[in-house]
Coordinates of all heavy atoms in Angstrom, one line a residue:
Chain C
G281 N 5.0 -3.7 -16.1 CA 5.5 -5.0 -16.2 C 6.3 -5.2 -17.5 O 6.4 -4.4 -18.4
H282 N 6.9 -6.4 -17.6 CA 7.5 -6.8 -18.8 C 8.6 -5.8 -19.3 O 8.8 -5.7 -20.4 CB 6.6 -7.1 -19.9 CG 5.5 -8.2 -19.5 ND1 5.8 -9.4 -19.8 CD2 4.4 -8.1 -19.0 CE1 4.8 -10.1 -19.5 NE2 3.9 -9.5 -18.9
L283 N 9.3 -5.2 -18.4 CA 10.4 -4.3 -18.9 C 11.7 -4.6 -18.0 O 11.7 -5.5 -17.1 CB 10.0 -2.9 -18.6 CG 9.5 -2.4 -17.3 CD1 10.8 -2.0 -16.5 CD2 8.7 -1.1 -17.6
S284 N 12.7 -3.9 -18.2 CA 14.0 -4.2 -17.8 C 14.7 -3.0 -17.4 O 14.7 -2.0 -18.1 CB 14.8 -5.0 -18.7 OG 16.1 -5.2 -18.4
I285 N 15.3 -2.9 -16.2 CA 16.2 -1.8 -15.7 C 17.6 -2.3 -15.4 O 17.7 -3.3 -14.5 CB 15.5 -1.3 -14.3 CG1 14.0 -0.7 -14.7 CG2 16.3 -0.3 -13.6 CD1 13.3 -0.3 -13.4
P286 N 18.5 -1.6 -16.1 CA 19.9 -2.3 -15.9 C 20.6 -1.9 -14.5 O 20.1 -1.1 -13.7 CB 20.6 -1.4 -17.0 CG 19.9 0.0 -17.1 CD 18.4 -0.4 -16.8
D287 N 21.5 -2.8 -14.3 CA 22.4 -2.6 -13.2 C 22.7 -1.2 -12.8 O 23.0 -0.5 -13.6 CB 23.6 -3.4 -13.3 CG 23.4 -4.9 -13.3 OD1 22.2 -5.4 -13.1 OD2 24.3 -5.8 -13.5
G288 N 22.7 -0.9 -11.6 CA 23.1 0.4 -11.2 C 22.3 1.6 -11.4 O 22.8 2.8 -11.4
T289 N 21.0 1.4 -11.8 CA 20.1 2.4 -12.1 C 19.5 3.1 -10.8 O 19.2 2.3 -10.0 CB 19.0 1.9 -13.0 OG1 19.5 1.4 -14.2 CG2 17.9 3.0 -13.3
I290 N 19.3 4.3 -10.8 CA 18.7 5.1 -9.7 C 17.4 5.7 -10.2 O 17.4 6.4 -11.2 CB 19.5 6.2 -9.2 CG1 20.7 5.5 -8.4 CG2 18.7 7.0 -8.1 CD1 21.8 6.4 -7.9
I291 N 16.1 5.3 -9.7 CA 14.9 5.7 -10.0 C 14.5 6.7 -8.8 O 14.4 6.3 -7.7 CB 13.9 4.6 -10.2 CG1 14.3 3.6 -11.2 CG2 12.5 5.3 -10.4 CD1 14.4 4.1 -12.6
S292 N 14.1 7.9 -9.2 CA 13.8 8.8 -8.1 C 12.4 8.5 -7.6 O 11.6 7.8 -8.2 CB 13.7 10.3 -8.7 OG 14.9 10.6 -9.2
A293 N 12.0 9.0 -6.3 CA 10.8 8.8 -5.7 C 9.7 9.2 -6.7 O 9.8 10.2 -7.4 CB 10.8 9.6 -4.4
A294 N 8.6 8.5 -6.6 CA 7.3 9.0 -7.2 C 7.4 9.1 -8.8 O 6.8 9.7 -9.4 CB 7.0 10.4 -6.7
T295 N 8.3 8.3 -9.3 CA 8.6 8.2 -10.7 C 7.9 7.0 -11.2 O 7.9 6.0 -10.6 CB 10.1 8.2 -11.1 OG1 10.6 9.4 -10.6 CG2 10.4 7.9 -12.4
F296 N 7.3 7.1 -12.5 CA 6.6 6.0 -13.1 C 7.5 5.5 -14.3 O 7.8 6.3 -15.2 CB 5.3 6.4 -13.6 CG 4.5 5.4 -14.4 CD1 4.4 4.1 -13.9 CD2 4.0 5.8 -15.7 CE1 3.7 3.1 -14.8 CE2 3.4 4.7 -16.4 CZ 3.2 3.4 -15.9
V297 N 8.0 4.3 -14.2 CA 8.7 3.6 -15.2 C 7.9 2.9 -16.2 O 7.3 1.8 -15.8 CB 9.8 2.8 -14.7 CG1 10.8 2.3 -15.7 CG2 10.7 3.6 -13.6
A298 N 7.7 3.4 -17.4 CA 6.7 2.7 -18.3 C 7.4 1.8 -19.3 O 6.7 1.1 -20.1 CB 5.9 3.7 -18.9
A299 N 8.6 1.9 -19.6 CA 9.3 1.2 -20.6 C 10.7 0.7 -20.1 O 11.3 1.4 -19.1 CB 9.3 2.1 -21.8
T300 N 11.4 -0.1 -20.8 CA 12.7 -0.6 -20.5 C 13.8 0.6 -20.5 O 13.5 1.6 -21.2 CB 13.1 -1.7 -21.5 OG1 12.4 -2.8 -21.2 CG2 14.6 -1.8 -21.6
I301 N 14.5 0.6 -19.6 CA 15.6 1.6 -19.5 C 16.9 1.0 -20.1 O 17.4 0.0 -19.7 CB 15.8 2.2 -18.1 CG1 14.6 2.9 -17.6 CG2 17.1 3.0 -18.0 CD1 14.7 3.4 -16.1
D302 N 17.5 1.7 -21.1 CA 18.7 1.1 -21.8 C 20.0 1.2 -21.1 O 20.8 0.3 -21.1 CB 18.7 1.7 -23.3 CG 17.6 1.1 -24.1 OD1 17.2 -0.1 -23.8 OD2 17.0 1.9 -24.8
K303 N 20.1 2.5 -20.4 CA 21.5 2.5 -19.9 C 21.4 3.2 -18.5 O 20.3 3.9 -18.1 CB 22.5 3.3 -20.6 CG 21.9 4.8 -20.9 CD 23.1 5.5 -21.6 CE 22.7 7.0 -21.7 NZ 23.6 7.8 -22.4
P304 N 22.2 2.7 -17.5 CA 22.1 3.2 -16.2 C 22.2 4.7 -16.0 O 22.6 5.4 -17.0 CB 23.3 2.5 -15.4 CG 23.9 1.7 -16.4 CD 23.5 1.9 -17.7
G305 N 21.6 5.3 -15.0 CA 21.6 6.7 -14.7 C 20.6 6.9 -13.7 O 20.1 6.0 -13.1
V306 N 20.3 8.3 -13.6 CA 19.3 8.7 -12.6 C 18.1 9.1 -13.3 O 18.2 10.0 -14.2 CB 19.8 9.8 -11.6 CG1 18.7 10.2 -10.6 CG2 21.1 9.4 -11.0
Y307 N 16.9 8.5 -13.1 CA 15.7 8.9 -13.9 C 14.7 9.4 -13.1 O 14.4 8.8 -11.9 CB 15.3 7.7 -14.7 CG 16.3 7.2 -15.7 CD1 17.2 6.3 -15.3 CD2 16.3 7.7 -17.0 CE1 18.1 5.9 -16.4 CE2 17.1 7.3 -18.0 CZ 18.1 6.4 -17.7 OH 19.0 6.0 -18.6
T308 N 14.0 10.4 -13.5 CA 13.0 11.0 -12.6 C 11.6 11.3 -13.5 O 11.9 11.5 -14.7 CB 13.5 12.4 -12.1 OG1 14.6 12.0 -11.4 CG2 12.5 13.0 -11.1
G309 N 10.5 11.4 -13.0 CA 9.4 11.7 -13.6 C 8.2 12.0 -12.8 O 7.1 11.8 -13.0

Side-chain angles (χ1 to χ4, degrees):
Chain C
H282 297 272
L283 60 80
S284 176
I285 294 179
D287 293 355
T289 301
I290 294 174
I291 304 292
S292 302
T295 291
F296 175 50
V297 184
T300 283
I301 292 177
D302 288 323
K303 60 173 193 188
V306 182
Y307 294 91
T308 306

